[in-house]
Amino acid sequence: MMAVPIADGIKVVQHAEVTELIISRPRSRNALRQQDKHRLANEIDHANANGSRAIVLTQGDSKSFCAGTDIAEMKNFDVPAAVDMLTEEARLFEAVLTSSAPVVAAVNGAALGAGCVLVCCCDLVVAGEGAFFGQPEVRNGVPAPVQAALLPQIVGLGTARRMLFRLDQIAASEALKLGLVHEVVSEDQSAPRALDMAKELCRLPRIGVTLQKKIVNGWIRHGFSPSIEPSVYIAATAFADPAPRSAIARFLESRKAEQGDPDSL
């Protein structure tokens, strides 16, 4: 097993043919900055180029798998900046979906906003008993572009609307019934079980797994790909209005008063 720190907040651990990518920004609940999304997408591409048979996403010491986009970097966004960020985000999801190696996620705590979509893009998901999933974007005046394209295909349109409009959070037990996650285990076993699952995938014929993933990706992309570009631009236009910046500023002030660190979408 070899660990390689690649950037602030991200670490790569190689377990023979399995690449573990650890998101580790515990002070920000593993919220992803634009640079983190870029690096994570690059590492997925790098793992595939180096012949990894499976990729596992874990969360280090953070209590959250990924609390979404780092809201602190959005406080001064205008429309072009929002387009850049959302395009980078879409590239990350594309990297997971098109990875020739299956991607397994180990989720404890919150998977919100972009973190929830990251889970949706993974091929297999192991959740700890306390994991929960949600889409809180509209609370800050910003719609969820990629989420709206992918989420209904997994949890159904009714549940997706409940998450997007009512901001309902889905507990691990319900996520299992909906098919958003595939196993629920005790929280200390989520990462070990995900790694075991990845090793099980490595024992299958590579060509069969690779082609099966390509076929499944084709099913997903039939409705997903045409929606992405227009959704990114529609979502970015929210920043032409002062409401998102005002909501984000209030949110950051409340978080600073509570904990002294930023939160996320």
Side-chain angles (χ1 to χ4, degrees):
M1 182 176 72
M2 182 176 65
V4 182
I6 59 168
D8 176 38
I10 298 173
K11 184 168 70 172
V12 180
V13 180
Q14 197 66 39
H15 308 265
E17 295 179 300
V18 176
T19 299
E20 181 183 5
L21 300 179
I22 304 170
I23 306 168
S24 186
R25 301 192 67 228
R27 283 183 55 81
S28 296
R29 300 174 65 202
N30 278 0
L32 297 175
R33 301 162 295 185
Q34 188 167 333
Q35 68 195 59
D36 300 316
K37 296 170 186 175
H38 179 81
R39 288 166 177 162
L40 199 50
N42 283 351
E43 287 305 316
I44 291 169
D45 291 343
H46 184 70
N48 280 292
N50 285 348
S52 290
R53 299 283 302 274
I55 298 167
V56 178
L57 302 182
T58 62
Q59 65 194 68
D61 296 327
S62 176
K63 294 181 180 179
S64 296
F65 172 72
C66 175
T69 293
D70 191 332
I71 203 169
E73 78 171 5
M74 298 171 64
K75 61 185 178 182
N76 295 316
F77 266 14
D78 56 12
V79 173
V83 169
D84 288 345
M85 184 274 289
L86 291 167
T87 300
E88 196 66 64
E89 188 172 293
R91 177 178 171 260
L92 169 58
F93 303 145
E94 179 86 357
V96 178
L97 287 170
T98 60
S99 169
S100 58
V103 182
V104 184
V107 182
N108 285 327
L112 302 175
C116 184
V117 186
L118 188 58
V119 170
C120 290
C121 292
C122 291
D123 299 287
L124 294 168
V125 181
V126 180
E129 293 169 331
F132 59 96
F133 307 83
Q135 301 292 164
E137 285 87 348
V138 295
R139 180 181 289 122
N140 289 313
V142 183
V146 181
Q147 294 87 325
L150 185 59
L151 197 61
Q153 297 189 53
I154 298 173
V155 301
L157 182 57
T159 299
R161 281 174 166 158
R162 183 158 60 93
M163 296 172 73
L164 292 164
F165 293 123
R166 292 185 52 188
L167 313 185
D168 287 0
Q169 294 180 346
I170 305 299
S173 56
E174 183 179 0
L176 180 63
K177 293 175 184 176
L178 291 168
L180 180 57
V181 307
H182 305 99
E183 289 188 19
V184 176
V185 298
S186 61
E187 293 197 357
D188 63 340
Q189 289 301 305
S190 59
R193 178 60 187 131
L195 287 166
D196 285 345
M197 200 177 281
K199 292 171 186 175
E200 291 167 8
L201 290 166
C202 291
R203 291 194 285 270
L204 297 171
R206 183 194 290 264
I207 185 64
V209 173
T210 299
L211 292 178
Q212 186 64 77
K213 191 173 186 321
K214 191 172 185 178
I215 290 168
V216 172
N217 185 47
W219 299 337
I220 295 169
R221 293 174 66 85
H222 178 71
F224 179 70
S225 296
S227 306
I228 295 304
E229 188 172 349
S231 296
V232 163
Y233 283 96
I234 291 169
T237 60
F239 287 91
D241 189 281
R245 285 186 290 276
S246 297
I248 288 168
R250 289 193 301 271
F251 197 81
L252 290 173
E253 282 301 314
S254 68
R255 288 295 295 174
K256 184 177 180 181
E258 291 173 8
Q259 296 182 1
D261 60 33
D263 207 331
S264 49
L265 280 174

